[in-house]
Coordinates of all heavy atoms in Angstrom, one line a residue:
W145 N 107.2 73.5 95.5 CA 106.7 74.8 95.9 C 107.4 75.5 97.0 O 107.2 76.7 97.2 CB 105.2 74.8 96.2 CG 104.3 74.4 95.0 CD1 103.6 73.2 94.9 CD2 104.1 75.1 93.8 NE1 102.9 73.2 93.7 CE2 103.2 74.3 93.0 CE3 104.6 76.3 93.4 CZ2 102.8 74.8 91.8 CZ3 104.2 76.8 92.1 CH2 103.3 76.0 91.3
V146 N 108.3 74.7 97.6 CA 109.1 75.3 98.7 C 110.0 76.5 98.2 O 110.4 77.3 99.0 CB 109.9 74.2 99.4 CG1 111.1 73.8 98.5 CG2 110.5 74.7 100.7
L147 N 110.3 76.4 96.9 CA 111.0 77.5 96.3 C 110.4 78.9 96.5 O 111.1 79.9 96.4 CB 111.3 77.2 94.8 CG 112.3 76.1 94.6 CD1 112.4 75.8 93.1 CD2 113.6 76.3 95.2
L148 N 109.0 78.9 96.7 CA 108.3 80.1 96.9 C 108.8 80.8 98.2 O 108.4 81.9 98.5 CB 106.9 79.9 96.9 CG 106.2 79.6 95.5 CD1 104.7 79.3 95.7 CD2 106.4 80.7 94.5
A149 N 109.4 80.0 99.0 CA 110.0 80.5 100.3 C 111.0 81.6 100.1 O 111.1 82.5 100.9 CB 110.6 79.4 101.1
L150 N 111.6 81.6 98.9 CA 112.6 82.7 98.7 C 112.0 84.1 98.5 O 112.3 85.1 99.1 CB 113.6 82.3 97.6 CG 114.4 81.0 97.9 CD1 115.3 80.7 96.7 CD2 115.1 81.1 99.2
P151 N 111.0 84.3 97.5 CA 110.4 85.5 97.5 C 109.6 85.9 98.7 O 109.5 87.0 99.1 CB 109.5 85.4 96.3 CG 109.3 83.9 96.0 CD 110.6 83.3 96.5
A152 N 109.0 84.8 99.4 CA 108.4 85.1 100.6 C 109.3 85.7 101.7 O 109.0 86.5 102.4 CB 107.7 83.8 101.2
S153 N 110.6 85.1 101.7 CA 111.6 85.6 102.6 C 111.9 87.1 102.4 O 112.1 87.9 103.3 CB 112.8 84.8 102.5 OG 112.6 83.5 103.0
L154 N 111.9 87.5 101.1 CA 112.1 88.9 100.8 C 111.0 89.8 101.3 O 111.3 90.9 101.9 CB 112.3 89.1 99.3 CG 113.6 88.9 98.6 CD1 113.5 89.0 97.2 CD2 114.7 89.8 99.2
L155 N 109.8 89.3 101.2 CA 108.6 90.1 101.7 C 108.7 90.1 103.3 O 108.4 91.2 103.9 CB 107.3 89.5 101.2 CG 106.0 90.2 101.7 CD1 106.1 91.6 101.3 CD2 104.8 89.4 101.1
I156 N 109.0 89.0 103.9 CA 109.1 89.0 105.4 C 110.2 89.9 105.8 O 110.0 90.7 106.8 CB 109.4 87.5 105.8 CG1 108.2 86.6 105.5 CG2 109.7 87.5 107.3 CD1 108.5 85.2 105.6
A157 N 111.3 89.8 105.1 CA 112.5 90.7 105.5 C 112.1 92.2 105.3 O 112.5 93.1 106.2 CB 113.6 90.4 104.6
Y158 N 111.3 92.6 104.3 CA 110.9 94.0 104.1 C 110.0 94.4 105.3 O 110.3 95.5 105.8 CB 110.1 94.1 102.8 CG 109.2 95.3 102.7 CD1 109.9 96.6 102.6 CD2 107.9 95.3 102.8 CE1 109.1 97.7 102.6 CE2 107.2 96.4 102.7 CZ 107.7 97.7 102.6 OH 107.0 98.8 102.6
A159 N 109.1 93.5 105.6 CA 108.2 93.9 106.7 C 108.9 94.1 108.0 O 108.6 95.1 108.7 CB 107.1 92.8 106.9
F160 N 109.8 93.2 108.3 CA 110.4 93.3 109.6 C 111.6 94.2 109.7 O 112.0 94.8 110.7 CB 110.9 91.9 110.1 CG 109.7 91.1 110.8 CD1 109.1 90.2 110.0 CD2 109.3 91.3 112.0 CE1 108.0 89.5 110.5 CE2 108.3 90.6 112.6 CZ 107.6 89.7 111.8
A161 N 112.3 94.5 108.5 CA 113.3 95.5 108.4 C 112.7 96.8 108.6 O 113.3 97.7 109.4 CB 114.1 95.4 107.1

Side-chain angles (χ1 to χ4, degrees):
W145 293 114
V146 73
L147 291 175
L148 292 176
L150 298 182
S153 295
L154 276 175
L155 180 55
I156 294 166
Y158 163 69
F160 282 97

